[in-house]
Amino acid sequence: MRASHAVLTAVPDALHDVRLVSSVQAVLATGSGIVVIRSCNNVISDRHWLAREYVWFLIPYMIYDTYAMYLCEWYRARDQNRGHATTFRNFLSQNRLMITHHAVILFVLVPVAQRLRGHLGDFFVGCIFTAELSTPFVSLGRILIQLKQQHTLLYKVNGILTLATFLSCRILLFPFMYWAYGQQQGLNLIQVPFNIPFYCNVANAFLIAPQIYWFSLLCKKAARLFDVPEVKKEG
């Protein structure tokens, strides 16, 4: 019994540590992105060293985050006496989208950011960095749930901030990048998709698709949070 209690206690502590590290990384990424964006007057050719160097910090973080997610799953499985194979299968099935997200960053976006794009597009790399702005609010929300604080004003305010930052920095970010390119080239927003390489539109579609899915989940969660049940009339 003591061993089971120790495992159950270790899981929330481990999750809190993961949330903290994720939040710190998000603040650093967002700050780096803002610096890069502000320094690039020409969104195509201007350069800033952070656009390339911060990616080297991002690689070990993504590996750590994936391992930390598995470690939390392993802690839970250990209390249930599940084998390593079963634990790993459950980990893959329950975190498919997040694992895919991390794999795409490591094996697609990192090579593009470091090599394939050449010396162009630091501005857009900076924009992608700022997508992390919502992470601290998402992490705080999950910590408050673990602490059973869903009824508090802090949880509701954090939920609103989560929706606002996620919408602005993970979804509206893409129209903003198209708009910024259009301003540079003398095009309006509607014209931009037809005046850039087709693979750019495809890449952006793949990037925004999971963000829209996650945002829909956040909206459903927020709707449940603020949904006030009707009081049944007596008599």
Side-chain angles (χ1 to χ4, degrees), residues 18-39:
V18 172
R19 305 300 178 208
L20 178 60
V21 173
S22 296
S23 297
V24 171
Q25 190 281 140
V27 171
L28 293 175
T30 302
S32 299
I34 292 173
V35 170
V36 173
I37 291 170
R38 290 177 59 87
S39 69

Side-chain angles (χ1 to χ4, degrees), residues 14 33 41 52 61-62 73 130 186 221:
N41 294 318
R52 194 173 297 275
Y61 165 73
M62 287 295 167
E73 179 65 27
T130 64
K221 189 175 181 179

Side-chain angles (χ1 to χ4, degrees), residues 46-59:
D46 280 1
R47 305 192 65 196
H48 192 282
W49 64 271
L50 273 173
R52 194 173 297 275
E53 298 304 324
Y54 187 79
V55 175
W56 296 122
F57 177 79
L58 193 62
I59 294 172

